[in-house]
Amino acid sequence: MPEVRLKPVFWVGSSLDDLKTLPIEVQRFFGYALYGAQRGERHPKAKALKGFHGAGVLEIVEDHDGDTYRVVYTVRFTEVLYVLHAFQKKSKHGIATPRHDLDLIQSRLNRAEEDYKQWMDEKETNSDEQ
């Protein structure tokens, strides 16, 4: 059986700290789903986040004890998995992601794009030196 290479996970902003504030059962669920994403798999609950043009930005929604939690990540980059946001949805007005969360996700996606470009440039420079 061929060995599966795991993509490294980069946590943007406070996303890791935010995930750690969620209930332990939710943390485990999201951890399992993100592990699958590292392996190149897509969890059955993962879906494209509306407003981000295509399936490059995904969200997973999990309900626990009457509350709703979300983790948002991007698979736009072939070599790295970026987790952009983890939060409890507090709005009681429908299922839409609140505007301030969408703005934060967009800002973090922009940071991830910059980081990925720099990371790939450094990786290329290091391989050229060898």
Side-chain angles (χ1 to χ4, degrees):
M1 176 181 271
E3 184 177 332
V4 176
R5 184 178 161 275
L6 295 179
K7 291 182 181 183
V9 176
F10 291 175
W11 301 86
V12 183
S14 63
S15 59
L16 179 57
D17 291 335
D18 296 339
L19 179 71
K20 290 178 179 180
T21 68
L22 305 181
I24 192 70
E25 296 86 352
V26 175
Q27 291 180 46
R28 287 182 183 139
F29 177 82
F30 287 151
Y32 178 76
L34 292 171
Y35 173 71
Q38 282 184 273
R39 294 172 48 92
E41 301 164 359
R42 185 170 170 167
H43 192 276
K45 285 192 170 184
K47 63 180 182 176
L49 182 62
K50 291 182 180 170
F52 285 86
H53 314 294
V57 177
L58 302 172
E59 74 170 336
I60 301 173
V61 179
E62 178 67 355
D63 294 321
H64 176 73
D65 281 347
D67 292 314
T68 300
Y69 302 90
R70 296 181 181 193
V71 69
V72 177
Y73 63 99
T74 184
V75 293
R76 285 186 180 177
F77 312 108
T78 57
E79 305 252 342
V80 178
L81 179 72
Y82 283 91
V83 180
L84 304 173
H85 196 23
F87 62 105
Q88 178 182 354
K89 184 178 176 296
K90 304 222 178 189
S91 172
K92 302 298 179 192
H93 305 291
I95 62 171
T97 304
R99 169 57 43 203
H100 67 90
D101 286 306
L102 291 173
D103 292 343
L104 180 63
I105 292 164
Q106 182 61 60
S107 172
R108 289 181 176 178
L109 178 61
N110 293 343
R111 285 174 52 193
E113 289 172 346
E114 292 170 13
D115 182 81
Y116 185 71
K117 182 181 180 327
Q118 180 180 353
W119 187 75
M120 290 300 290
D121 287 347
E122 289 172 7
K123 189 175 174 183
E124 184 175 307
T125 299
N126 290 339
S127 69
D128 288 346
E129 291 174 359
Q130 293 179 6

